[in-house]
């Protein structure tokens, strides 16, 4: 049986995929802005923990966005 993908990873990667067209740092800023405005603090906490545990499977834009959010 395949391992379930954490919801925060899937959702954050989807956001990054939709904003990757933005130039340079604006994409990471837009991902951070979306997560900061629309995600429940508990979801952000789980995403931060996922990044801290190695960020396996996360889009690099998400990792950059988490740095901006912190």
């Amino acid at each position: 049986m395949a391992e379930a993908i954490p919801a925060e990873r899937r959702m954050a990667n989807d956001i990054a995929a939709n904003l990757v067209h933005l130039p340079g740092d604006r994409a990471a800023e837009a991902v951070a802005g979306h997560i900061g405005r629309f995600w429940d603090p508990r979801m952000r906490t789980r995403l931060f923990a996922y990044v801290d545990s190695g960020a396996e499977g996360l889009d690099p834009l998400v990792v950059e966005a988490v740095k901006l959010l912190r």
Side-chain angles (χ1 to χ4, degrees), residues 3-32:
E3 186 177 336
I5 297 172
E8 289 79 9
R9 183 180 107 183
R10 180 184 47 78
M11 292 169 56
N13 282 344
D14 287 349
I15 295 165
N18 282 299
L19 297 171
V20 71
H21 68 279
L22 296 173
D25 292 339
R26 289 191 53 214
E29 291 169 2
V31 172

Side-chain angles (χ1 to χ4, degrees), residues 1 3-4 10-11 14 17 20 24 27-29 33 39 45 51-52 56-57 62 64-65 69:
M1 181 186 231
E3 186 177 336
R10 180 184 47 78
M11 292 169 56
D14 287 349
V20 71
E29 291 169 2
W39 283 32
T45 298
V51 169
D52 291 343
E56 182 180 342
V62 176
E64 289 302 312
L69 285 166

